Amino acid sequence: DVKVTQSSRYLVKRTGEKVFLECVQDMDHENMFWYRQDPGLGLRLIYFSYDVKMKEKGDIPEGYSVSREKKERFSLILESASTNQTSMYLCASTSGGAVIATNEKLFFGSGTQLSVL
Amino acid sequence: QKEVEQNSGPLSVPEGAIASLNCTYSDRVSQSFFWYRQYSGKSPELIMSIYSNGDKEDGRFTAQLNKASQYVSLLIRDSQPSDSATYLCALTGTASKLTFGTGTRLQVTL
């Protein structure tokens, strides 16, 4: 069965800490994505990657960076966590290269609920 | 104007009725459209995709697309309590990425 695994389900961090959120997929997918989901704001794209060492900014990249050293792993980094980064973070992957095809399905991880105090 | 607009709900329908969920979008060059279902505390899962005008049926679900009017809808026939969830509309536009609406919460009552 296909799987996208996020390292932590719940995470509590202090303001100013450097935070790493890890995501691993076992489907040999080219595309990987990081979203955050907030009540009333829906899913918003932070960064995505369509190949190893490639990254593209999404709609809300400020305060975040990413790393994709291996095809199966896509990491989201909060360089200096702030309280407004408290959110549910969802990783997703899909095949298809740089363009999402008509019926490409995003496979989501189970999410990481991050609280920054 | 938001790229993808959905009424947040909740939309309440009795069991066995048809639930109609609507989504409008602003980017005329949007190409592909998707409906994801998200149960509370869970991740979204794809239930329908549609890319050409008209209707597409899959079991109890029908997606409808009207590019001229820039809306896409999802009909759920014979609604069941297990259909109670948030339904997210999503689309691909000028950039090769998926943009989501904020979702409509559906409640199917007994």
Side-chain angles (χ1 to χ4, degrees):
Chain A
D1 204 8
V2 297
K3 208 164 184 181
V4 179
T5 303
Q6 293 184 232
S7 53
S8 304
R9 185 72 177 97
Y10 298 95
L11 212 52
V12 180
K13 295 292 181 180
R14 297 284 182 192
T15 302
E17 278 193 76
K18 190 169 186 176
V19 182
F20 293 86
L21 301 183
E22 306 288 346
C23 175
V24 178
Q25 51 95 2
D26 65 0
M27 296 165 281
D28 201 35
H29 283 166
E30 289 86 1
N31 296 319
M32 296 188 75
F33 306 81
W34 275 106
Y35 289 88
R36 63 178 283 178
Q37 187 171 29
D38 302 285
L41 297 177
L43 277 156
R44 293 180 292 166
L45 182 63
I46 304 171
Y47 268 97
F48 65 105
S49 167
Y50 55 85
D51 201 354
V52 176
K53 297 192 185 294
M54 303 297 290
K55 60 183 179 183
E56 295 281 346
K57 291 181 180 179
D59 300 315
I60 51 163
E62 297 79 17
Y64 303 94
S65 62
V66 290
S67 171
R68 189 144 181 225
E69 296 296 319
K70 294 184 177 181
K71 190 175 185 180
E72 67 270 18
R73 185 181 297 269
F74 193 34
S75 303
L76 180 69
I77 303 155
L78 287 66
E79 296 289 342
S80 178
S82 62
T83 54
N84 63 12
Q85 292 178 309
T86 292
S87 185
M88 170 65 78
Y89 290 87
L90 287 162
C91 175
S93 74
T94 188
S95 61
V99 177
I100 298 175
T102 300
N103 58 351
E104 281 298 333
K105 173 181 175 178
L106 276 185
F107 292 87
F108 282 91
S110 54
T112 296
Q113 179 62 51
L114 173 66
S115 297
V116 183
L117 306 178
Chain B
Q1 184 187 5
K2 289 183 181 177
E3 288 184 63
V4 184
E5 298 246 23
Q6 294 182 258
N7 188 315
S8 61
L11 172 66
S12 186
V13 299
E15 184 178 4
I18 296 175
S20 177
L21 304 158
N22 300 308
C23 172
T24 58
Y25 60 94
S26 58
D27 187 352
R28 284 196 166 273
V29 300
S30 296
Q31 299 168 346
S32 304
F33 304 84
F34 307 84
W35 283 100
Y36 281 78
R37 178 177 62 201
Q38 186 174 25
Y39 291 113
S40 180
K42 301 292 185 182
S43 300
E45 55 179 340
L46 180 69
I47 51 173
M48 291 285 291
S49 60
I50 186 168
Y51 64 94
S52 53
N53 281 326
D55 295 0
K56 179 182 177 183
E57 189 173 316
D58 184 1
R60 295 187 296 112
F61 298 98
T62 299
Q64 299 174 317
L65 175 60
N66 184 322
K67 289 189 177 182
S69 301
Q70 294 176 245
Y71 81 78
V72 56
S73 62
L74 179 70
L75 301 179
I76 306 174
R77 289 182 300 282
D78 188 24
S79 295
Q80 301 297 309
S82 58
D83 295 325
S84 298
T86 297
Y87 289 80
L88 304 169
C89 173
L91 55 87
T92 57
T94 50
S96 57
K97 60 184 177 74
L98 209 55
T99 299
F100 284 85
T102 54
T104 298
R105 189 156 65 93
L106 173 67
Q107 290 178 337
V108 180
T109 57
L110 296 171

